[in-house]
Amino acid sequence: MKYSDLLKHPEGGRYLEVYRSMSQVSIDDKTRTALTHIYFSLEPHEVSRFHRVSNDEVWNLYQGEGLYLYQWDGSSSTIESIELSAKLMNFCHVIPAGYWQAAVPIKDRVLVGCSVAPGFEFEDFELIVPESDIAQTLLKIDPGLSKLIQVR
C-alpha cells in the first residue's frame, strides 16, 4: 500500500478498504457484510471529526506515535478520551455501536486499522452537523473539542 492509494474520507483523513467479508448477516431488517476493515490515516494537521456508525468499530494502531480517540454516547455529561499508543501499550479500542467518535493524531502521521462488524456501509454513517443540537450539547460539555466538529 502506498499513501497515494488512500482516498479522502468525509470525516477527515484518508482511508482504503482492504477487506470486505463475503459472508452476509441480517440486522435490523438490513442485510450487511459480516465484517469490513480499512486502513485509516491522519496527518498531524488533520482530525477525524465526530461521527457515528451503526455497528461496533475496532480501532488498531499500526504506525505513528498514536492518537487520541474520543467517544460519547450522546447523552452523558462526559466525553471519554482514549489514547492509543506504544507508550501506553494500548494498541486497540472498541467504539460501541451508535457512539459519537472522533480522533486526533498525537504528533506525526498515524496509520490505524478500523474494523466494523457487521460491515461498514456509508448509509450507516452519520457525520455530526455543526449547527445541530447534539453538536451544541457536545460543545457545552467540552468547548475545546470544537475542532472535531467544524468543517475544515
Side-chain angles (χ1 to χ4, degrees):
M1 179 205 72
K2 296 180 286 193
Y3 183 71
S4 60
D5 293 338
L6 301 177
L7 307 169
K8 285 189 176 190
H9 200 291
E11 75 197 43
R14 297 182 171 278
Y15 78 102
L16 179 66
E17 185 175 275
V18 293
Y19 180 75
R20 181 169 286 271
S21 175
M22 298 294 278
S23 298
Q24 301 283 306
V25 296
S26 293
I27 183 169
D28 298 329
D29 297 325
K30 297 177 188 172
T31 300
R32 292 286 182 261
T33 299
L35 174 73
T36 56
H37 184 77
I38 64 168
Y39 292 141
F40 182 73
S41 180
L42 291 169
E43 294 292 326
H45 63 279
E46 293 179 312
V47 301
S48 164
R49 293 184 295 131
F50 271 102
H51 64 284
R52 63 182 173 179
V53 295
S54 299
N55 303 310
D56 293 343
E57 182 167 1
V58 182
W59 288 67
N60 293 282
L61 177 64
Y62 293 149
Q63 291 180 339
E65 189 169 323
L67 56 74
Y68 299 108
L69 275 175
Y70 298 92
Q71 71 177 35
W72 180 49
D73 65 9
S75 63
S76 69
S77 60
T78 57
I79 298 163
E80 207 176 339
S81 175
I82 301 98
E83 180 178 328
L84 294 187
S85 69
K87 179 180 81 174
L88 294 184
M89 296 296 290
N90 186 26
F91 299 99
C92 177
H93 182 75
V94 178
I95 304 286
Y99 272 52
W100 291 100
Q101 58 179 297
V104 177
I106 291 174
K107 188 176 177 184
D108 298 324
R109 179 189 293 168
V110 65
L111 178 68
V112 297
C114 296
S115 300
V116 178
F120 178 84
E121 296 293 340
F122 271 104
E123 67 188 66
D124 299 327
F125 170 85
E126 181 181 1
L127 191 58
I128 202 163
V129 176
E131 301 78 27
S132 67
D133 290 343
I134 197 77
Q136 298 312 306
T137 300
L138 191 149
L139 289 175
K140 285 178 187 167
I141 297 169
D142 190 341
L145 296 179
S146 64
K147 68 180 179 183
L148 301 177
I149 293 174
Q150 301 305 318
V151 178
R152 297 198 180 258

